[in-house]
């Protein structure tokens, strides 16, 4: 979609949908929202809806950073402690055996 062709109120509506979608455990939408609307929020000439778009973009950036931090922390802890956790860690991971050739 080319944002140049979209009306300002439709941009705001789309930005709001992506922002709210991130709360449905889809943090990738926050990242997409941040990237897609960053230019629109900070570098375009002023218009009425831009202030709200900027708010959604900033909140999406913050949400993305928090989720990235949580995921990196979890992966690091799991990789370091997997052997210590024994069967519990085995149930949380998926290992497909190669079998015999």
């Amino acid at each position: 979609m080319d944002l140049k062709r979209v009306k300002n109120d439709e941009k705001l509506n789309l930005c709001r949908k992506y922002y709210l979608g991130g709360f449905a455990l889809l943090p990738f939408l926050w990242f997409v929202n941040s990237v897609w609307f960053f230019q629109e929020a900070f570098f375009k000439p002023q218009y009425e809806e831009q202030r709200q778009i900027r708010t959604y973009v900033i909140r999406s950036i913050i949400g993305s950073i928090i989720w990235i931090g949580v995921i990196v922390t979890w992966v690091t802890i799991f990789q370091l402690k997997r052997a210590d956790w024994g069967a519990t860690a085995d149930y949380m991971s998926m290992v497909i055996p190669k079998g015999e050739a």
Side-chain angles (χ1 to χ4, degrees), residues 1-17:
M1 175 187 280
D2 187 10
L3 288 177
K4 295 174 189 171
R5 297 181 184 180
V6 179
K7 295 178 184 176
N8 292 336
D9 59 334
E10 292 175 16
K11 290 178 193 176
L12 175 60
N13 189 26
L14 183 61
C15 186
R16 181 183 302 122
K17 285 180 184 177

Side-chain angles (χ1 to χ4, degrees), residues 29-48:
L29 286 180
W30 282 334
F31 178 74
V32 170
N33 198 28
S34 303
V35 172
W36 206 10
F37 286 100
F38 190 81
Q39 291 282 340
E40 198 68 38
F42 295 103
F43 296 110
K44 298 286 181 176
Q46 293 286 345
Y47 57 91
E48 186 178 336

Side-chain angles (χ1 to χ4, degrees), residues 74 78 81-97:
W74 166 247
F78 187 77
K81 300 291 185 180
R82 185 182 182 283
D84 298 338
W85 292 348
T88 304
D90 289 340
Y91 291 127
M92 285 192 270
S93 62
M94 179 182 210
V95 179
I96 301 173

Side-chain angles (χ1 to χ4, degrees), residues 24-72:
L25 296 179
L26 300 171
F28 185 70
L29 286 180
W30 282 334
F31 178 74
V32 170
N33 198 28
S34 303
V35 172
W36 206 10
F37 286 100
F38 190 81
Q39 291 282 340
E40 198 68 38
F42 295 103
F43 296 110
K44 298 286 181 176
Q46 293 286 345
Y47 57 91
E48 186 178 336
E49 292 86 357
Q50 188 179 27
R51 185 173 170 189
Q52 271 190 299
I53 290 175
R54 185 176 297 140
T55 301
Y56 290 133
V57 169
I58 291 171
R59 289 178 182 176
S60 294
I61 291 170
I62 293 169
S64 296
I65 290 170
I66 289 170
W67 267 99
I68 289 170
V70 167
I71 290 171
V72 167

